[in-house]
């Protein structure tokens, strides 16, 4: 009797492993197929300039999505009750407004950078307080903070574009070592550092434990609350970093940063299929951000209307979320 | 020849004087030492774009003006036998910059950028120029573009302001939407309003100025104007609402009508069909709108590209006429704009 059960369980586990493997291999294959297709059909797609340019263009989205990924890792992947930071995009908008306002007020880059990082951290700390100390669901807490940040941005900018141009900001936009844009270098350095921190240090492993099995982590004596709070601070810091890059990219602060939110959520979710165990990882998120970047770029080079890009993104998300939910259900 | 009539009205309406001969009908610029849009309207002598790829980048197409200009640009490239790469940034500056960056690698035969916040796009326009790609613009006055095709926004701004002053009898309070000063054409119209009001000190701009927004422009303008009317409940305390385009004007007009304050008049620019319709309605608070010809502007910008690529000289600026639509001429203007 028990043998039959075990066998069935074993089969189910095999099936799940197979499904996971298929999904992961499938998504990597899809990524490669898209790259091959574009390079075969779109002139210039594989050119060094275009390739590095897409990496640079993906930097802001990817860095915001990194923050989101860390929050999801620490808070658990449940979309409703797990970790999520809906305030990242609005935080970027506020931070960019702070940076541009200070430059317009005649301050230097050093002051502006410091104030921007502090702003991002403050928004992150507010999220952490609401989620950890007050115990509000992250979805709702960060939604409220999102509105506060968006409101403060409007106070600063009066909903106009604040232009800001300094040698430091211009340097961010320039081509860097080996002919690769500085924005691309920044993205790669941040990604590698974060991958090392989250995937390869004891602290990173503990963070994953907190997210995946909170009770077990607590029983093992981990300061769970401190870890969860820290993820929101990291997310706030990354929003500030993204804001500095955005101010450079757009030569100032611009309206409509809230629109970034959907892309960030899409990227963080899509990143799951690029990981070995279908969990959120920094590397997976990086691949997802690049995938979305290459998709948009290839469409432009092939002269396919950009209106299709959002449609394809939506379809991808539906596919990914459906596949991962089916696999998760089998798991539980 | 609808077009001929339209252009003639543009001349009559805006230049007034009969100094210009028939050849001058085509451009406002003729009388001001600027080169007129040489035969831009006919388009029969325009060189072919056969085998050429033209990148058409626009800030967004959610407004009547943008969509008309964008569609006309693509249609004209195709009519001339070229390939159009349509790039609509959907009012997202990140996307706009990304598409301009990608264009540099794409190396089309020419790029035309329509609208945009100058500080955001100019660094990338410079890079396009540095990459050796011929750069053209619509409504973006920048020294880096070979030709900027546009309405004469100085004329639009001052004639709209003068109409406002005249309607108010040289005295009154004006609510101003000034949310897009970073967009050069809006800045020009606003500066012209200020320049005119300098000589009519009894016409005052109410502080604080309002900020129009994108998206939800109509609803937002409605809310803001409703609030202003509540703040100034006495009839005659607010006399006019001015905006640099006509979508805020639409919301403002609706708010004024809903509040029963039809003594407040609204003024705007572009000439979207629904706004021209409101101006035509004798009971509507919409008093005037400076109507542009977005499709003709889009078409002329492409014809300039075709001429340049064929080695012909192209002026730095091409101005297309506009019509100041008021209650008096709205019905006629509607016909000439091909609306209604």
């Amino acid at each position: 009797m028990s043998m039959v059960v075990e066998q069935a369980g074993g089969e189910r586990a095999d099936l799940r492993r197979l499904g996971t493997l298929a999904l992961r291999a499938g998504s990597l294959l899809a990524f490669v197929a898209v790259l091959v297709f574009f390079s075969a059909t779109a002139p210039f797609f594989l050119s060094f300039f275009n390739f590095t340019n897409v990496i640079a263009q993906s930097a802001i989205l990817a860095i915001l999505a990194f923050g989101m990924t860390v929050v999801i890792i620490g808070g658990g992947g449940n979309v409703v009750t797990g970790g999520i930071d809906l305030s990242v995009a609005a935080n970027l908008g506020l931070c960019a407004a702070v940076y541009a306002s200070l430059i317009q007020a005649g301050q230097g880059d050093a002051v502006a950078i410091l104030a921007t990082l502090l702003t991002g951290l403050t928004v992150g700390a507010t999220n952490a307080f609401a989620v950890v100390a007050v115990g509000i669901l992250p979805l709702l807490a960060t939604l409220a903070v999102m509105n506060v940040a968006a409101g403060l941005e409007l106070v600063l900018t009066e909903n106009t574009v604040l232009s800001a141009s300094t040698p430091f900001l211009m340097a961010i936009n320039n081509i860097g070592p080996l002919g690769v844009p500085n924005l691309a270098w920044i993205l790669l350095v941040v990604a590698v550092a974060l991958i090392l921190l989250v995937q390869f240090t004891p602290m990173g492993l503990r963070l994953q434990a907190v997210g995946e099995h909170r009770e077990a982590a607590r029983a093992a004596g981990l300061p769970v609350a401190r870890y969860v709070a820290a993820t929101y601070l990291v997310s706030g810091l990354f929003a500030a970093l993204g804001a500095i890059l955005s101010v450079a990219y757009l030569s100032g602060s611009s309206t409509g940063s809230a629109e970034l939110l959907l892309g960030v959520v899409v990227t963080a979710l899509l990143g799951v299929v690029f990981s070995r165990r279908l969990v959120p990882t920094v590397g997976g998120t990086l691949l997802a951000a690049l995938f979305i970047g290459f998709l948009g770029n290839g469409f432009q080079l092939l002269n396919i209307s950009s209106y299709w890009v959002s449609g394809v993104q939506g379809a991808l998300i539906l596919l990914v979320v459906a596949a991962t939910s089916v696999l998760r259900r089998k798991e539980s | 020849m609808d077009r001929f009539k339209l252009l003639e009205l543009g001349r009559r309406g805006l230049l007034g004087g009969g100094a210009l001969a028939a050849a001058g009908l085509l451009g406002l610029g003729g009388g001001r030492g600027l080169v007129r849009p040489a035969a831009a309207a006919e388009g029969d002598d325009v060189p072919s774009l056969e085998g050429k790829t033209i990148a058409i980048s626009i800030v967004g197409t959610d407004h009547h003006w943008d969509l008309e200009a964008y569609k006309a640009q693509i249609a004209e490239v195709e009519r001339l036998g070229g390939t159009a790469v349509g790039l609509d940034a959907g009012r997202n500056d990140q996307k706009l910059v990304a598409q301009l960056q990608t264009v540099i690698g794409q190396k089309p035969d020419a790029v035309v950028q329509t609208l945009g916040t100058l500080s955001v796009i100019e660094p990338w326009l410079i890079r396009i120029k540095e990459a050796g790609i011929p750069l053209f613009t619509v409504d973006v006055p920048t020294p880096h573009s070979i030709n900027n095709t546009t309405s004469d926004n100085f004329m639009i701004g001052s004639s709209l302001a003068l109409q406002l002053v005249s309607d108010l009898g040289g005295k009154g309070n004006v609510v101003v939407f000034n949310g897009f000063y970073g967009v050069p054409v809006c800045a020009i119209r606003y500066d012209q309003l200020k320049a005119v009001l300098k000589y009519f000190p009894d016409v005052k701009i109410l502080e604080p100025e309002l900020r129009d927004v994108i998206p939800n422009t109509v609803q937002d303008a409605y809310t803001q104007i409703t609030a202003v009317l509540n703040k100034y409940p006495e009839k005659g305390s607010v006399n006019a609402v001015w905006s640099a385009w006509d979508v805020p004007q639409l919301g403002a007009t609706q708010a004024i009508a809903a509040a029963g304050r039809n003594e407040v008049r609204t003024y705007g620019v572009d000439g979207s069909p629904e706004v021209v319709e409101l101006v035509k309605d004798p009971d509507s608070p919409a008093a005037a709108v400076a109507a542009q010809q977005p499709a003709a502007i889009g078409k002329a910008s492409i014809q300039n590209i075709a001429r340049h690529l064929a080695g012909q000289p192209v002026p730095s600026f091409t101005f297309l006429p506009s019509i100041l639509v008021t209650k008096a001429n709205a019905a006629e203007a509607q016909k000439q704009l091909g609306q209604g």
Side-chain angles (χ1 to χ4, degrees):
Chain A
M1 195 57 186
S2 69
M3 245 177 64
V4 176
V5 173
E6 260 169 41
Q7 232 171 13
E11 266 169 32
R12 224 177 293 143
D14 282 347
L15 217 66
R16 170 160 48 84
R17 222 168 294 141
L18 205 69
T20 308
L21 196 72
L23 188 57
R24 179 163 176 265
S27 19
L28 279 174
L29 263 177
F31 195 168
V32 173
V34 163
L35 290 188
V36 169
F37 175 73
F38 281 145
S39 39
T41 50
F44 308 115
F45 181 75
L46 263 193
S47 71
F48 182 76
F49 173 86
N50 191 57
F51 213 76
T52 52
N53 198 31
V54 175
I55 301 176
Q57 286 174 357
S58 310
I60 296 167
L61 178 71
I63 282 175
L64 283 189
F66 286 164
M68 180 73 91
T69 305
V70 170
V71 169
I72 298 175
I73 291 175
N78 188 311
V79 180
V80 180
T81 58
I84 192 160
D85 183 357
L86 295 181
S87 70
V88 274
N91 192 358
L92 175 137
L94 174 61
C95 288
V98 167
Y99 199 116
S101 308
L102 285 170
I103 296 297
Q104 288 209 338
Q107 297 291 335
D109 284 305
V111 175
I113 291 170
L114 206 67
T116 303
L117 294 178
L118 270 176
T119 306
L121 278 174
T122 308
V123 173
T126 314
N127 281 325
F129 177 78
V131 170
V132 177
V134 186
I136 309 174
L137 272 184
L139 194 73
L140 300 177
T142 57
L143 185 71
V145 172
M146 171 183 102
N147 277 315
V148 174
L152 288 176
E153 181 194 344
L154 286 179
V155 169
L156 277 178
T157 64
E158 294 185 312
N159 208 27
T160 58
V161 172
L162 301 180
S163 62
S165 184
T166 68
F168 168 74
L169 292 172
M170 283 197 272
I172 293 181
N173 275 331
N174 280 341
I175 303 288
L178 305 178
V180 175
N182 284 328
L183 267 174
W185 281 119
I186 294 170
L187 172 61
L188 295 178
V189 168
V190 169
V192 169
L194 196 64
I195 288 172
L196 289 178
L197 187 75
V198 173
Q199 245 71 44
F200 295 99
T201 63
M203 193 175 79
L205 293 178
R206 285 185 206 122
L207 177 68
Q208 294 179 41
V210 167
E212 282 184 36
H213 299 285
R214 186 167 298 188
E215 292 315 314
R218 190 171 289 137
L222 292 182
V224 171
R226 219 178 299 162
Y227 271 94
V228 174
T231 62
Y232 289 97
L233 287 175
V234 169
S235 180
L237 195 65
F238 275 66
L241 181 60
I244 296 172
L245 303 185
S246 174
V247 170
Y249 195 58
L250 303 180
S251 317
S253 85
S254 175
T255 56
S257 49
E259 279 174 46
L260 276 169
L261 178 63
L262 193 65
V264 171
V265 173
V266 166
T267 307
L269 285 177
L270 192 60
V272 168
V273 294
F274 290 117
S275 79
R276 220 174 323 154
R277 293 184 302 122
L278 294 187
V279 291
T281 58
V282 177
T285 301
L286 176 65
L287 284 179
L290 293 177
F291 182 61
I292 289 172
F294 279 117
L295 212 57
N297 176 264
F299 273 32
Q300 176 172 342
L301 293 183
L302 282 182
N303 198 8
I304 301 172
S305 164
S306 56
Y307 303 137
W308 281 99
V309 175
S310 9
V312 169
Q313 275 184 21
L316 270 178
I317 277 310
L318 214 56
L319 205 72
V320 166
V321 174
T324 43
S325 335
V326 168
L327 288 169
R328 287 243 174 84
R329 207 176 309 142
K330 279 191 183 145
E331 209 169 328
S332 58
Chain B
M1 284 298 280
D2 273 0
R3 183 173 301 284
F4 184 80
K5 270 192 281 174
L6 172 66
L7 293 168
E8 195 183 16
L9 185 108
R11 177 188 69 95
R12 262 198 280 125
L14 292 172
L15 288 180
L20 289 178
L25 293 179
L26 291 168
L28 291 165
R32 311 170 117 209
L34 291 157
V35 187
R36 67 191 174 84
E42 288 86 359
D44 297 332
D45 62 334
V46 181
S48 159
L49 282 173
E50 197 81 53
K52 308 280 191 205
T53 303
I54 313 298
I56 295 169
S57 167
I58 189 164
V59 70
T61 51
D62 38 5
H63 179 213
H64 175 260
W65 194 101
D66 318 332
L67 191 59
E68 288 288 302
Y70 183 65
K71 283 196 314 202
Q73 286 172 326
I74 291 177
E76 187 64 2
V77 169
E78 284 166 358
R79 190 182 76 85
L80 295 173
T83 306
V85 180
L87 303 169
D88 174 2
R91 300 274 169 205
N92 181 323
D93 280 343
Q94 284 237 3
K95 200 170 160 199
L96 181 58
V97 169
Q99 76 192 25
L100 288 176
Q101 277 186 326
T102 304
V103 154
I104 299 172
Q106 211 164 357
K107 293 220 184 302
D109 295 291
V111 179
V112 55
Q113 169 63 37
T114 300
L115 285 168
T117 303
L118 192 60
S119 63
V120 173
I121 56 175
E122 197 160 41
W124 307 101
L125 297 182
I126 293 172
R127 289 194 191 195
I128 289 174
K129 184 187 169 193
E130 284 172 353
I133 304 169
L135 173 72
F136 290 75
T137 51
V138 167
D139 269 11
V140 184
T142 158
H144 308 291
S145 124
I146 293 167
N147 165 277
N148 182 39
T149 301
T150 179
S151 293
D152 180 346
N153 287 291
F154 297 91
M155 188 72 88
I156 282 182
S158 56
S159 59
L160 187 70
L162 286 166
Q163 182 72 39
L164 182 152
V165 169
S166 164
D167 287 350
L168 265 54
K171 190 175 186 309
N173 293 324
V174 185
V175 178
V176 167
F177 280 101
N178 185 24
F180 295 98
Y181 197 79
V183 178
V185 291
C186 296
I188 293 169
R189 295 167 199 161
Y190 174 84
D191 289 342
Q192 289 302 308
L193 171 72
K194 293 281 243 194
V196 166
L197 293 192
K198 197 176 134 193
Y199 296 95
F200 299 93
D202 290 338
V203 178
K204 295 194 171 68
I205 291 179
L206 282 177
E207 293 290 336
E209 289 178 348
L210 305 181
R211 304 284 183 220
D212 37 340
V213 300
I214 297 176
N216 297 325
T217 314
V218 176
Q219 298 92 313
D220 178 79
Y222 187 100
T223 313
Q224 293 202 54
I225 291 301
T226 304
V228 168
L229 294 176
N230 287 335
K231 190 174 159 194
Y232 299 96
E234 260 174 70
K235 273 192 191 262
S237 51
V238 180
N239 306 90
V241 176
W242 181 97
S243 52
W245 51 316
D246 62 8
V247 180
Q249 183 186 11
L250 194 59
T253 306
Q254 289 169 356
I256 291 163
R261 295 279 297 268
N262 283 27
E263 81 279 6
V264 184
R265 297 178 170 95
T266 67
Y267 298 82
V269 179
D270 281 347
S272 306
E274 58 269 43
V275 177
V276 174
E277 187 68 37
L278 282 174
V279 172
K280 194 175 86 172
D281 177 357
D283 299 326
S284 166
V289 64
Q292 305 190 60
Q293 307 180 68
I297 290 174
K299 191 174 173 184
S301 70
I302 299 302
Q303 297 185 345
N304 281 323
I305 292 177
R307 290 201 178 86
H308 175 81
L309 293 181
Q312 298 176 13
V314 166
S316 307
F317 289 91
T318 301
F319 292 105
L320 277 100
S322 55
I323 311 171
L324 184 62
V325 183
T326 61
K327 299 274 184 213
N329 71 352
E332 193 195 349
Q334 221 170 21
K335 276 186 229 136
Q336 283 157 336
L337 289 163
Q339 298 175 358

